[in-house]
Amino acid sequence: MIEMFFAILLGLGFGFVLERAGFGSGCKLTAQFRLSDWSVFKVMFTAIVFTAVGLYGLELAGLVEASALYVPIPYLWAIAAGGALIGAGFAVGGYCPGTAAVGLMTGRIDAIVFFLGLLVGTFVFAGFFPQFDALTTAGEFTQGDRLPEALGLPEWLVLAALVGAAVGVFYLGGWFERRARAAGRV
């Protein structure tokens, strides 16, 4: 019961932060696809890199054992199909499921419509699950649970590449944002 309480509390906190960052607005989210506002990409990529480097640091300090962490089995074809569908829905509707919930809670009409579509899609998927079942487990990747194992590279090197990519994306995103402001597209 206490886990459920903290899960709800963390979810509410996460939703609050998303709303305060402006991610409850479909306009802000679709600006990423127009390359005029890179906030979403910067926030998400920073979270990924921070978590990866943080876990590595905690593992080196002996506070976390990597083998004790649950890593779901990656099914590459299922990931590709799901990623394409959610990406298309994100670009068209302006929301992902989490930001749609945030927009719904703040009373945005477009988020309410998107959320209803999300529910319909969920029930359709559930209704046709036997037909999709083979796709949900297609392309099992067995080369390792983590990226360094999959690539056969030292973990510090993969993390250094991620940090370098983050710096590059911040620079590139900033360039696109300045260009969009200069053109009056923001």
Side-chain angles (χ1 to χ4, degrees):
M1 186 66 179
I2 192 77
E3 292 92 2
M4 183 66 75
F5 171 75
F6 281 112
I8 291 171
L9 193 64
L10 286 171
L12 289 172
F14 183 61
F16 177 77
V17 170
L18 285 177
E19 174 57 26
R20 296 300 303 155
F23 293 172
S25 165
C27 294
K28 181 155 184 88
L29 298 173
T30 54
Q32 176 68 61
F33 294 102
R34 294 189 307 271
L35 304 178
S36 60
D37 186 340
W38 284 60
S39 300
V40 175
F41 193 88
K42 289 176 181 176
V43 167
M44 294 304 172
F45 202 60
T46 299
I48 291 167
V49 172
F50 180 80
T51 302
V53 173
L55 278 175
Y56 183 65
L58 291 173
E59 187 180 359
L60 287 180
L63 298 172
V64 170
E65 189 175 329
S67 62
L69 298 174
Y70 172 71
V71 179
I73 298 169
Y75 298 105
L76 299 181
W77 286 115
I79 292 169
L85 286 172
I86 199 167
F90 201 155
V92 171
Y95 292 101
C96 73
T99 56
V102 171
L104 174 77
M105 295 310 291
T106 58
R108 295 178 192 274
I109 301 297
D110 58 339
I112 293 169
V113 172
F114 186 90
F115 206 81
L116 289 174
L118 188 150
L119 289 176
V120 169
T122 299
F123 283 111
V124 168
F125 179 79
F128 287 97
F129 186 77
Q131 287 79 15
F132 294 127
D133 190 22
L135 177 61
T136 62
T137 55
E140 181 178 349
F141 188 74
T142 58
Q143 302 297 319
D145 288 337
R146 300 173 355 158
L147 197 55
E149 296 165 1
L151 298 174
L153 295 172
E155 190 164 354
W156 67 265
L157 183 59
V158 172
L159 293 174
L162 276 176
V163 170
V167 171
V169 165
F170 270 70
Y171 177 79
L172 182 67
W175 181 81
F176 273 111
E177 288 171 342
R178 287 189 298 279
R179 188 171 166 213
R181 277 193 297 273
R185 291 188 294 131
V186 178

